[in-house]
Amino acid sequence: MTITGPRNAPDVVDVVALGESMVTFLPSRPGRLADVPSFERGIGGAESNVVCGLAAAGHAVRWVSRVGADGFGDHLVGAIGSRGVDVASVRRDPARPTGVYFRTAGDRGTDAHEVAYYRAGSAASAMSVANVDLTAVRAGRVLHLSGITAALSPECRGLMRALVARRPGGPLVSFDVNHRPGLWRDTDGPRVLLELARHCDLVFVGTDEAEAAWGVTGGPEAVRAWLPEPRVLVVKDGAKGATVYQRGEGEPCRPAAGGGGPVALLGPVALLGPASPPVTFVPAPSVTVVASTGAGDAFAAGFLSATLRGLPARDRLRHAHLFAAATLTAPGDLAPPPARGHADRLAALDEAAWGRLRLGPGWTQAAGRADEEVRTP
């Protein structure tokens, strides 16, 4: 999949992401939230994580959202902007607060992990087609969205439906399903996520999410059979790896808004490059995991970065794995991705060398080490 289009039009960036970001409080030591004496402040949000990763990789990006007219909102806008992200279209809400959350130091996948969200009634949960700068949202070669936003409120769901509706000449729409059952206040979540995914050009989903949300089992092929509409579908299968399914230009793609049959995508984005294989699987490298929070966002950033560069399908998945590995081997929601030259060198390894790759804490600073083992002592 390659992307072409205007690179010098006013206010057009490579990727725009819309969604809620929150101030995160990370514990100073392991333990229950009830026992931790102090916390360190950070930032977190699926969509802003993606554009922060892309900015670090050298891409022009924008984050669009709403935050409270409060100190936490100031911190979010300042922290995300300091990472090279355009935050000029983030709006302030004088009546609603910025969302915050606290989490324990343990990995999210363990029973001991605790997260306490304080986001109900947040400024971002009130996002709608009436109070978001839609011109800024659509002024990108790619628009990246997440299922988390749809869970925040009916207004957010209406905004998401408007953004995934096909518009001639509009951006490629990228969608990370991000199924979070705890955020939905009703049972509509799986249906809404499927509806949105079916109207997007590029979709990221895990096999675990597909099973939890839609009851789909049988691995990546079963997920593709369930979700045939996206021109490009990336199915993540945990530590096994990921598979990208691509549909040729002459085949049907996502349905038009408001019903009707399949339509051919128009506009500045060429979804597939020449000789793109219909199915590509890339195993994940072996990683010494420090924390898994944010790894899915980093994976999406790596895939989008390689897509923007016009790299082949195999290399897009390898860059996605490498970006994810940078986050998996560091604490916190955000970690700098590997330098482009370092990532390109690892992505170019032959199959045997890629299979021997071992990544541990500090590997992104280990560009001079052996290809098959990049880790700290």
Side-chain angles (χ1 to χ4, degrees):
M1 183 168 87
T2 58
I3 297 179
T4 61
R7 299 183 71 91
N8 56 357
D11 300 319
V12 173
V13 296
D14 288 330
V15 179
V16 177
L18 174 140
E20 180 174 36
S21 290
M22 295 179 289
V23 173
T24 67
F25 289 92
L26 308 177
S28 56
R29 62 173 176 81
R32 301 185 310 151
L33 288 180
D35 300 328
V36 174
S38 61
F39 297 80
E40 294 184 3
R41 185 181 61 181
I43 60 173
E47 301 83 3
S48 62
N49 285 351
V50 171
V51 287
C52 283
L54 286 165
H59 299 284
V61 295
R62 173 182 299 126
W63 172 56
V64 178
S65 188
R66 290 176 67 84
V67 299
D70 51 33
F72 287 149
D74 293 342
H75 175 67
L76 269 182
V77 173
I80 294 172
S82 71
R83 293 175 178 264
V85 178
D86 175 4
V87 293
S89 300
V90 178
R91 294 183 172 175
R92 300 302 186 100
D93 189 327
R96 297 177 179 86
T98 302
V100 302
Y101 76 94
F102 296 76
R103 68 176 177 86
T104 53
D107 185 67
R108 179 176 285 173
T110 68
D111 293 338
H113 185 72
E114 297 175 71
V115 180
Y117 288 106
Y118 299 91
R119 71 195 309 175
S122 69
S125 70
M127 287 190 296
S128 71
V129 293
N131 63 22
V132 166
D133 186 346
L134 296 180
T135 300
V137 172
R138 291 175 173 138
R141 300 168 69 204
V142 176
L143 170 60
H144 182 71
L145 305 169
S146 159
I148 293 172
T149 303
L152 298 181
S153 68
E155 293 79 10
C156 284
R157 283 193 285 282
L159 173 62
M160 291 285 287
R161 289 187 172 110
L163 293 178
V164 302
R166 175 184 170 269
R167 293 170 59 89
L172 179 153
V173 181
S174 166
F175 179 69
D176 193 334
V177 171
N178 256 325
H179 178 48
R180 304 285 177 83
L183 292 180
W184 291 88
R185 298 185 179 183
D186 51 39
T187 59
D188 288 342
R191 178 185 60 79
V192 172
L193 293 174
L194 184 62
E195 171 197 342
L196 294 172
R198 285 177 167 168
H199 282 84
C200 294
D201 305 305
L202 165 60
V203 173
F204 300 92
V205 64
T207 53
D208 55 344
E209 292 178 301
E211 181 175 1
W214 307 315
V216 177
T217 59
E221 289 188 7
V223 178
R224 182 51 161 172
W226 179 257
L227 196 55
E229 294 86 356
R231 182 66 63 82
V232 176
L233 176 68
V234 181
V235 183
K236 299 174 289 183
D237 199 7
K240 295 179 182 177
T243 305
V244 58
Y245 294 88
Q246 302 185 113
R247 190 193 312 285
E249 291 288 357
E251 300 175 62
C253 49
R254 62 188 175 104
V263 296
L265 292 177
L266 303 175
V269 175
L271 285 178
L272 299 180
S276 296
V279 183
T280 302
F281 169 76
V282 171
S286 178
V287 176
T288 302
V289 176
V290 173
S292 62
T293 305
D297 307 327
F299 182 97
F303 190 92
L304 289 172
S305 176
T307 297
L308 288 161
R309 296 173 58 199
L311 300 183
R314 185 203 71 168
D315 290 359
R316 282 183 269 146
L317 286 175
R318 286 189 172 188
H319 278 267
H321 284 313
L322 292 170
F323 274 50
T327 295
L328 287 167
T329 54
D333 291 16
L334 285 169
R340 178 171 291 186
H342 186 188
D344 284 346
R345 183 173 64 82
L346 295 178
L349 294 173
D350 62 35
E351 298 298 325
W354 177 264
R356 294 193 300 269
L357 198 58
R358 302 290 184 269
L359 304 176
W363 75 269
T364 55
Q365 284 77 50
R369 300 194 181 185
D371 291 338
E372 63 271 18
E373 187 163 354
V374 185
R375 62 184 182 186
T376 53

